[in-house]
Amino acid sequence: MTSTSKSRFGFKWGSSSTPTYTPAERKGEVSDLRTQLRDPTIDKDNNRRRDVLKKVLAFMTLGVDTSSLFTEMIMACITKDLVQKKMIYFYLCSHSETNSDIAILAVNTLQKDCKDESPLVRGLALRSLASLRLPQLAEYLVPTLKQCLVDTAPYVRKTAILSTLKLYRISPDTFFSMGLKDKMYGMLRDNDALVSMNALAVLEEVTEEEGGVQINKSILYFLLNRLRDVPEWQQTQILRLVLRYTPVSEDEMFDIMNLLEERLRGSNSSVIIACSHVFLYLTQNLPTVHKQVFERLRDPLLTLMSTAQSVETSYAILCHIKLLVQREPKVFQNMFKDFYCRHTEPTYIKSVKIAIITQIATETSASAIITELAAYAGESNLDVARLAITSMGHLARRIESASGQVMQHFLEFMTLDVEHIRGQTLVVMKDFLRKHSDIKVVRPFLEALVKIYKDMNFEDDESKTALVWVLGEFGEHIEDAPYLIEGMSSNLVQEPYQLRLEILTSSMRLFFKRPPEMQPVLGLVFRQLINDFSHADVHDRALFYYRLLRHNVRAAAQVVCTAKESVATLLEDDLSEVSDKLFEEFNSLSVVYFTPSSVFTRKEDVDDEDEEEEEEEEEEESVDENAGLLSGGVIELTEDVTIEPPEFQKKWAKLSASATFTAKMKKSPDSEVFEEELENCNIFTMASGAQGTATKMYLYAREEGDSNNTHFLVELVLNQDASAVVTVKSDSPHGLGFAELLKKVLSKF
């Protein structure tokens, strides 16, 4: 049957169709293959023998069990045809683990082939012998390895070195006891460059726990002088070794840099970035030379960026340039036009370029850069448009002379009938006005805002929050400011907490500027926020402002309307600390993510069995803790407790709070189920009812064995976001202990 004919089951061996077999048909087909492998007439015809072997491998690919042919395949090893040997060796390596006893029979044949006159056969046999992956074969593999490591053919030596790594993975003890580690160090000086690089790769893996290959001056210089003879991947291996070596003098440092100078004139991005890392590492303690290195790296990196064959490579290079710019922006200041965005570039490329030109802008180039950014603001891509507007605000804060031009563009943006542009402009203007608060500068913006605010349809909460901030800061110059805040305050509890906080603060500030108009508005804000317990920060701040006003209005004005210092630099603009960490991880994913590796990687300190034991211990502790809660924990609560509503109300009004806290639960429970679970812990409900979207409950409990008729009284507000605001009052000295117990009970919901 030829390679393109059909088998009796309809499978065309030369096609890509997928046949289906019954178990009986599979068994019959494999039996036919066994017969053909034993047929002496086929054995003498290399082409027919190849076809049979191809069928065996095809069955393996389809998932058919061909392990019963193992004996026949071992016998077929005795052939001079290299193609047949490759197929047979592939079969033996694939089935050796499931036929470990029979695989021993193949060892003699493979060892014999390792002495064949053809280096291709020797290398193939050795690779197959090492690929059997059987620990009991280590004693047969070692002598063959030692023989092949000194073979005259570089291909065989290269294969032998990689085979030692397979031996290390099978039996590390054998690898070290036979002195193969020292042998690998000796092979670093092999006459063939690829053999030397394979030895380096093996040493890197076997010495990983020791910190990698131990490098001295002679080995390093030997490898550096071989850079021209090895492919780019091996070049990066050698360059990484330089990072582990400390030159003994400046002259030696310059010698190494001179050897590597040629690498910067190449076209491979991996080699150039690795070489850049070496230059930065060697000169890190020499500021003057370090700055010169930045200038030397500029042109190769810019060339890579513009000639990269893929946008992914270009993005990685841009991320590294961005990191260099943060340390030495002056080096790239005259090259700002190289970072202008093309219309066809993806968003992630444009975002990095915009960040770079924003950092390298100077008073001379600011005008051209701002004009370019203003053009990006009109793009259909929302992310690019918002980033461009944000970058313009950053330039206005950093370069004083650019603020006027930026303001003019912002005024134009506010007149555009594009909501995301107007909204982002408003957000950025909030930070701009924190520095430029002079009314002469601000007035044109306020006049533009008054004209268009009624037509604005806020697409995000951030721009709406920015508008409220402007109303609070400059409301005395905006006639309708109180009424705008009043319109936003009609249903505060449904707004995000950031907006609620801003409305509260702006209402307070505007109250002291325009009291008659803001008094009813401020009362409306207080009434909603003080009675809302969905967010503790909002509730507490509203209560603080209210009590401050009742206590001393003048003091409240000093607290809320105190003069603010001009803001020149925002905290998020200062990235020096992150940059220092990233320079230590140059030429890695940390630079691309702009995040230290400790944030997105995790080292496994324990194995799976230890983790399982820890989980079991945690489960046991959890069971014990639940049992303790049901019995009252440290404080035992009695189920025999009664208190009349009038007595509860009288005690509640008389007692001061023992503890106040907010508890976060896993999910918001049903109020009836919630009350039943509390009763199981001997905490009973006096009264409950809906309060807006929340449920307010009054609870009571008493300590076991208490003869003084003392009680624990609780006000609990259960919110829809699975949080509970709790106030505990008690005439018992153990009020704090009860509060801790209640926290544990609530944490179980």
Side-chain angles (χ1 to χ4, degrees), residues 137-147 167 174-175 178 180:
L137 292 180
E139 59 180 301
Y140 304 102
L141 179 59
V142 172
T144 307
L145 273 178
K146 288 187 174 182
Q147 174 187 337
L167 174 64
T174 304
F175 177 89
M178 301 304 295
L180 291 178

Side-chain angles (χ1 to χ4, degrees), residues 544-654:
F544 168 73
Y545 284 156
Y546 175 73
R547 290 173 177 172
L548 189 60
L549 282 173
R550 289 187 60 184
H551 176 70
N552 191 327
V553 176
R554 188 182 301 276
Q558 292 176 347
V559 170
V560 178
C561 299
T562 184
K564 297 181 176 66
E565 295 182 2
S566 176
V567 177
T569 304
L570 299 179
L571 182 61
E572 54 266 30
D573 295 336
D574 185 12
L575 301 172
S576 57
E577 184 177 351
V578 176
S579 299
D580 291 340
K581 293 181 180 178
L582 294 182
F583 259 94
E584 298 174 1
E585 302 176 14
F586 201 84
N587 191 22
S588 70
L589 281 177
S590 299
V591 180
V592 177
Y593 294 157
F594 205 74
T595 304
S597 59
S598 58
V599 176
F600 61 87
T601 59
R602 181 172 63 90
K603 290 185 178 181
E604 296 290 345
D605 295 329
V606 294
D607 56 19
D608 294 339
E609 294 182 1
D610 293 338
E611 290 180 356
E612 291 177 1
E613 291 177 1
E614 290 180 2
E615 291 176 0
E616 291 176 0
E617 291 176 0
E618 290 177 359
E619 291 176 0
E620 292 175 0
E621 292 175 0
S622 178
V623 171
D624 294 340
E625 188 176 355
N626 288 334
L629 288 175
L630 292 176
S631 63
V634 177
I635 296 179
E636 295 287 343
L637 300 180
T638 180
E639 60 182 12
D640 183 19
V641 54
T642 56
I643 184 172
E644 296 296 326
E647 184 182 359
F648 185 102
Q649 188 173 6
K650 182 179 179 180
K651 281 192 173 185
W652 185 263
K654 178 182 178 182

Side-chain angles (χ1 to χ4, degrees), residues 386 419-420 423-424 427 457-465:
R386 290 190 173 113
E419 290 304 325
H420 70 270
Q424 187 64 23
V427 172
N457 181 23
F458 296 99
E459 294 183 347
D460 58 276
D461 297 322
E462 190 177 8
S463 57
K464 194 173 182 180
T465 303

Side-chain angles (χ1 to χ4, degrees), residues 31-59:
S31 178
D32 283 351
L33 288 174
R34 181 183 294 105
T35 301
Q36 293 177 45
L37 286 171
R38 293 179 176 180
D39 190 338
T41 58
I42 295 178
D43 190 31
K44 296 177 182 180
D45 189 335
N46 284 337
N47 290 330
R48 294 179 64 187
R49 186 65 170 265
R50 287 182 184 181
D51 290 338
V52 174
L53 294 175
K54 287 177 184 178
K55 294 175 186 178
V56 174
L57 299 186
F59 270 94

